[in-house]
Amino acid sequence: MKGIRQLADRLNISIGTVSRALNGRPDVNEETRRRVLEAAAEFGYVPNQSGRSLRQGTTNAIGFMVESGFDTAGNPDNFFLGVFDGVQTVLSRHHLDLVVLPCATDEDPTQYLRRMVARRLVDALIISATHRKDERIELLNKARIPFIALGRSATPGDHPWIDLDFEGVAHRAVDRLVAKGHRRIAVCVPSNDINLGFVFLDAYKAALGRHGIAPEPGLVIRAASSEQGGYQAAHELLTMAEPATAIVLVYELMAIGFYRRLIEAGLSPGRDVAVIAFRESPLSRFLSPPLTCFRMSLRNLGIALGESLLASMPAYAEVYPQGIVHRVWPMELVEGGSDHAIEA
């Protein structure tokens, strides 16, 4: 039995009631909803989603765009999986589905998104890896498609966003290292134009300034956000005429490569060079000495993203009355043994 009309005839109820029951509408009593769902399963009824979407002008799906070239290619970290779980927790309350849209490393993110928008695959979007000037934001604003950004941008326009507390991490890391006697503190930021690198670097410079330490361009290392990038950062630090005694890494998996290069040089992480990384990851927990870093709940971040996105959509604004959300997500310090004090 394939058609909704046949299903309605079988149950001796109206087509409209069957449709509302299948779509989870609240104006159908639970007994009728149960009968409809059981009959649909028994007779193999599958709704024509394309036709339904065309009639309703909605897909009941939310897209999450991920740039695989940013930090997912060859990366065993579970950042996005944890965030996806939280987002889907919110969407499932409203019978909405999450569709992951992975943009390949060698494809322009704006062109990729333009294609997705033209195909109308989803009703709203979550974008990540925001750049200082992000053409995707301009595209979505012009297309009037609801969206939220995981990350801030300098791109004009009032849109919802949630970003991690890069400023807070940079200030707390520098304060901690200065308190331990360090004055030559390096920082490693991404080599591309992703906005988090600019935010983190500005906060690092401001933190040094509060302690009367003049920032040195030579102590700013730019590298890929990966283990290999961390290896490169350690190599650059070792070749400095006057090496830094401490470093703050904007990406946690860099610490793995950074540790390895120090050990190859006969140095000990934590003792010879103090290391603080941005975020705790499953792999970084196995480093020795344990990494001083910051943690957060990825699932709770995903829940906040999902609720904040729905708050910007008229159909859900009454359920989530937050309005346009601009939020910095807090991070919790995890003390390890990688940032020892300078020996007197």
Side-chain angles (χ1 to χ4, degrees):
M1 184 176 294
K2 297 181 180 180
I4 192 172
R5 182 182 299 277
Q6 290 92 331
L7 188 60
D9 290 343
R10 175 82 182 189
L11 296 169
N12 194 31
I13 56 180
S14 71
I15 293 176
T17 300
V18 171
S19 176
R20 293 195 300 276
L22 291 172
N23 285 299
R25 296 285 294 275
D27 57 348
V28 178
N29 69 61
E30 288 304 317
E31 175 60 23
T32 301
R33 189 191 320 280
R34 182 190 61 77
R35 288 181 57 212
V36 171
L37 294 177
E38 288 181 354
E42 180 180 356
F43 295 105
Y45 171 74
V46 178
N48 184 330
Q49 184 61 48
S50 297
R52 179 191 295 175
S53 299
L54 185 62
R55 291 190 301 272
Q56 297 179 348
T58 180
T59 64
N60 292 324
I62 304 297
F64 198 131
M65 180 179 171
V66 177
E67 294 183 37
S68 58
F70 169 51
D71 65 356
T72 57
N75 185 346
D77 189 19
N78 66 352
F79 179 87
F80 281 109
L81 291 180
V83 174
F84 293 158
D85 180 55
V87 173
Q88 186 58 59
T89 295
V90 175
L91 300 186
S92 64
R93 302 171 190 164
H94 309 281
H95 306 286
L96 300 173
D97 294 315
L98 179 65
V99 178
V100 179
L101 303 173
C103 179
T105 305
D106 57 355
E107 183 165 10
D108 176 75
T110 303
Q111 293 304 320
Y112 173 85
L113 186 60
R114 182 171 285 113
R115 191 166 69 249
M116 297 303 105
V117 168
R119 292 175 178 174
R120 304 195 68 81
L121 296 179
V122 295
D123 297 329
L125 279 152
I126 301 172
I127 61 174
S128 60
T130 49
H131 295 259
R132 200 161 185 81
K133 176 173 172 50
D134 202 313
E135 295 180 356
R136 297 174 302 169
I137 292 175
E138 297 175 346
L139 169 64
L140 293 171
N141 279 330
K142 289 180 180 178
R144 297 184 179 276
I145 294 178
F147 74 98
I148 187 170
L150 177 52
R152 284 162 285 180
S153 172
T155 306
D158 187 24
H159 64 274
W161 56 259
I162 296 178
D163 201 5
L164 306 185
D165 188 11
F166 292 100
E167 295 101 330
V169 167
H171 280 276
R172 292 171 71 186
V174 169
D175 290 350
R176 183 177 172 88
L177 292 169
V178 170
K180 291 175 178 286
H182 296 279
R183 303 288 293 180
R184 292 188 57 77
I185 303 170
V187 66
C188 186
V189 293
S191 54
N192 55 23
D193 68 341
I194 191 166
N195 195 52
L196 67 87
F198 294 94
V199 174
F200 199 74
L201 182 58
D202 288 345
Y204 155 82
K205 292 177 179 178
L208 290 178
R210 285 193 296 103
H211 294 283
I213 302 174
E216 297 182 32
L219 293 181
V220 177
I221 301 173
R222 297 190 177 275
S225 298
S226 64
E227 296 92 329
Q228 181 61 42
Y231 187 92
Q232 173 196 332
H235 183 76
E236 290 191 24
L237 185 147
L238 293 173
T239 58
M240 293 176 181
E242 187 181 355
T245 62
I247 190 167
V248 184
L249 304 172
V250 75
Y251 188 61
E252 60 280 0
L253 290 184
M254 286 179 168
I256 296 174
F258 194 90
Y259 270 43
R260 176 170 178 173
R261 183 66 186 94
L262 289 185
I263 293 170
E264 288 178 354
L267 301 176
S268 298
R271 186 187 67 192
D272 296 306
V273 181
V275 183
I276 297 180
F278 180 71
R279 187 179 67 86
E280 180 185 52
S281 75
L283 290 181
S284 66
R285 296 172 190 164
F286 295 96
L287 291 173
S288 180
L291 185 65
T292 296
C293 55
F294 295 79
R295 73 157 62 110
M296 62 180 170
S297 168
L298 296 174
R299 185 173 185 275
N300 287 346
L301 173 62
I303 289 174
L305 276 171
E307 291 179 345
S308 298
L309 173 62
L310 295 185
S312 70
M313 301 172 67
Y316 306 98
E318 289 188 7
V319 181
Y320 305 99
Q322 299 97 312
I324 301 300
V325 173
H326 299 153
R327 184 175 180 185
V328 175
W329 195 259
M331 308 286 288
E332 175 190 359
L333 176 68
V334 180
E335 295 189 358
S338 65
D339 60 337
H340 291 172
I342 291 181
E343 295 182 5

